[in-house]
Amino acid sequence: MDQSNQERRPNMSKITPKDLDFNALDFSYRDLPYSYQAEYHNGQWSAGQLTTDSTIQLSEAAVVLHYGQEVFEGLKAYRRKDGGVNLFRPDQNAKRMRHSAERLLMQGYPEADFIEAVKTVVKANQDFIPPYESGGSLYIRPFLIGTTPIVGVKPGQDFIFRIYVTPVGAYYPGGLKPTAFVTSEFDRAAHGGTGQAKVGGNYAASMLPGEEAHRAGFSDVVYLDPREHHYIEELGSANFFGITKEGQFKTPKSPSILPSITKFSLIELAKEMGMNPVETPIGIDELDQFAEAGAMGTAAVISPVGSITHQAKKHVFYSESDVGPKTQAFYDRLIAIQYGDEKGPAGWVVDVPLK
Ligand SMILES: Cc1ncc(COP(=O)(O)O)c(C=O)c1O
């Protein structure tokens, strides 16, 4: 028997704060009370609003389902020691989402509205923001999908902008631990492709190489450049950095990597620390220059890279078991800014009014 949409959304999986142990959260989806949604039809956005319905109803012919018109973002809300809540550079996520949408010929969501929407949905779910002491955060996932029913390959004219949020734990609850990476024969994205956009299809393409790396005992893949398979592009879903023996901060430059907000933030912090940061091609045979290496992104913040294995040869950076002092210093500074313990560059931290 056909179930009506009404019957299929009894909110039976909705959780309450009492269901959660904030000190033992992982990185998984939990069905919180509120999401946020706005719709684009006939050339204009509806007023966005909170919704308690955590499902989306779509035509079976919706362009997102067949031709992948989907872009997304990821950012976090951090509980401060004083009980307030910070966002970290949400303007950068708003801007990147607009650029991603342009690449897929989608209608971008206005940047100011994006930031307001994030604040609204965080405030509505404030009881689920992990306490300061837990080291957790509220992960925020804005996304945009093409909903027009279309058979031939062409862009949709109707879109849903939506945000869900879910509480997540500290990535390294016991302190930073280096992990091992391995290069892949697969490419994540092509020069001139969609590597600079945060589109779902890039991640579908990364699942097979990621799974192969996991099965071989590595934490994730090092993607090399798609032309020569020589220059480092990305580490799984994070950007790469190395700190040279002379103390310079280096990160790859390529037209097919995602412009990481964490990366641009570390570049600023590296300037503060007198580390003369550069974005430059980094060959896989040039790893000897680095005293330390790491991966950087919103989810894992900063993760020390213990080793990279390429063509069965393992290169160890600082140590396979201990984090290097500069990587630790970057982590400490970034986290202190995000959680409001230290002041960062102007405009990085945005307060979420909770009343
Ligand atoms: C492929 C890829 N690279 C890098 C990053 C890091 O970007 P950010 O620092 O903006 O989270 C992400 C995560 O968003 C990613 O998916």
Side-chain angles (χ1 to χ4, degrees), residues 25-237:
L25 290 171
D26 51 11
F27 199 79
S28 58
Y29 173 76
R30 306 195 194 239
D31 190 351
L32 262 50
Y34 296 103
S35 298
Y36 187 94
Q37 183 162 312
E39 284 141 42
Y40 187 85
H41 298 296
N42 303 320
Q44 62 185 38
W45 283 106
S46 67
Q49 55 187 3
L50 292 169
T51 169
T52 57
D53 184 358
S54 42
T55 66
I56 301 174
Q57 194 176 14
L58 289 177
S59 161
E60 62 192 351
V63 61
V64 61
L65 298 177
H66 303 273
Y67 305 126
Q69 258 197 328
E70 191 262 4
V71 304
F72 68 101
E73 273 303 324
L75 67 161
K76 287 172 172 172
Y78 307 86
R79 179 78 71 181
R80 299 191 304 260
K81 218 182 248 172
D82 67 5
V85 172
N86 283 346
L87 300 171
F88 183 69
R89 308 191 75 181
D91 56 318
Q92 299 300 306
N93 295 95
K95 193 165 82 176
R96 187 170 65 188
M97 189 181 221
R98 193 171 49 73
H99 287 154
S100 298
E102 280 168 10
R103 180 63 181 81
L104 296 198
L105 270 186
M106 301 173 77
Q107 182 65 41
Y109 197 61
E111 291 173 38
D113 295 345
F114 176 107
I115 297 169
E116 281 314 303
V118 167
K119 286 183 180 171
T120 300
V121 72
V122 168
K123 178 182 166 197
N125 292 289
Q126 61 181 281
D127 293 346
F128 294 86
I129 305 170
Y132 170 83
E133 295 74 25
S134 71
S137 54
L138 189 73
Y139 184 73
I140 304 161
R141 169 53 61 86
F143 59 103
L144 181 66
I145 57 176
T147 56
T148 310
I150 279 177
V151 180
V153 180
K154 58 181 180 185
Q157 303 302 320
D158 307 274
F159 302 94
I160 289 178
F161 169 77
R162 185 155 179 124
I163 308 176
Y164 76 73
V165 296
T166 190
V168 296
Y171 209 80
Y172 290 101
L176 297 183
K177 281 274 164 271
T179 57
F181 289 78
V182 63
T183 56
S184 177
E185 290 300 309
F186 288 105
D187 296 329
R188 195 189 77 92
H191 291 182
T194 54
Q196 290 191 333
K198 201 161 168 64
V199 311
N202 291 346
Y203 298 81
S206 76
M207 287 180 188
L208 174 58
E211 195 54 33
E212 282 187 357
H214 296 153
R215 265 196 243 122
F218 295 94
S219 72
D220 217 326
V221 167
V222 178
Y223 291 103
L224 298 176
D225 78 277
R227 289 218 172 127
E228 298 174 52
H229 266 230
H230 178 71
Y231 298 100
I232 294 182
E233 293 258 304
E234 302 220 47
L235 304 187
S237 45

Side-chain angles (χ1 to χ4, degrees), residues 2-14:
D2 193 21
Q3 270 191 318
S4 78
N5 200 43
Q6 214 57 38
E7 286 166 333
R8 272 193 283 114
R9 51 169 130 109
N11 288 343
M12 55 189 187
S13 55
K14 294 270 181 208

Side-chain angles (χ1 to χ4, degrees), residues 285-307:
D285 58 356
E286 295 168 0
L287 303 181
D288 273 344
Q289 65 180 309
F290 297 119
E292 296 180 35
M296 47 193 170
T298 297
V301 194
I302 292 170
S303 307
V305 175
S307 66

